[in-house]
Amino acid sequence: QVQLVESGGGLVQAGGSLRLSCSHSGSSFSFSTMSWFHQTPGKEREFVASVNWSGETTRHAESVKGRFTISRDNAKKTVYLQMSNLKPEDTAVYYCAARRGVSTEDLKGYDYWGQGTQVTVSS
């Protein structure tokens, strides 16, 4: 059974940085797209960033462009989200997701999800 496990969340002051990690138990080749989403209470889960199998193609939501960077290390079966210049509005639970197709921002297109990691940014 495939599992995705996120780590690296926590409490940070505005302007600070965090790096989230997502390790998976499946085959890296099977998961051609790995993505990060975030969710705040009462809102739908939203796309943050995605990376293709080779790591050469990435997409980032407009709200995080220039501040967040997604990457992956297939040898370690891990996907990262480097978050810099964090803002209070980045506060959310961050989820890792995997799918076998090309990147999509539609959360319904993902086959596997992690349990999430809380990121809290104080002002």
Side-chain angles (χ1 to χ4, degrees), residues 57-70:
T57 301
T58 61
R59 292 171 62 181
H60 296 81
E62 285 298 322
S63 60
V64 307
K65 277 184 180 177
R67 300 189 299 121
F68 292 10
T69 302
I70 189 171

Side-chain angles (χ1 to χ4, degrees), residues 3-18:
Q3 285 188 318
L4 304 180
V5 180
E6 302 97 335
S7 61
L11 173 64
V12 64
Q13 287 188 329
S17 299
L18 281 175

Side-chain angles (χ1 to χ4, degrees), residues 1 13 36 42-43 45 50 53 62 64 111 113-115 120:
Q1 183 173 346
Q13 287 188 329
W36 288 95
K43 292 189 175 182
R45 203 167 291 188
S50 68
W53 179 81
E62 285 298 322
V64 307
D111 305 303
W113 291 88
Q115 292 300 307
T120 303

Side-chain angles (χ1 to χ4, degrees), residues 37-106:
F37 287 74
H38 68 195
Q39 186 172 24
T40 54
K43 292 189 175 182
E44 189 174 80
R45 203 167 291 188
E46 296 179 335
F47 173 82
V48 175
S50 68
V51 60
N52 74 334
W53 179 81
S54 69
E56 293 178 351
T57 301
T58 61
R59 292 171 62 181
H60 296 81
E62 285 298 322
S63 60
V64 307
K65 277 184 180 177
R67 300 189 299 121
F68 292 10
T69 302
I70 189 171
S71 62
R72 68 192 290 171
D73 184 333
N74 288 335
K76 294 182 178 179
K77 293 186 176 182
T78 301
V79 178
Y80 304 99
L81 185 68
Q82 178 67 49
M83 305 187 295
S84 302
N85 191 21
L86 282 158
K87 304 176 181 180
E89 51 264 42
D90 295 320
T91 295
V93 177
Y94 283 73
Y95 295 91
C96 177
R99 71 187 303 267
R100 294 184 171 86
V102 297
S103 174
T104 176
E105 296 184 10
D106 184 355

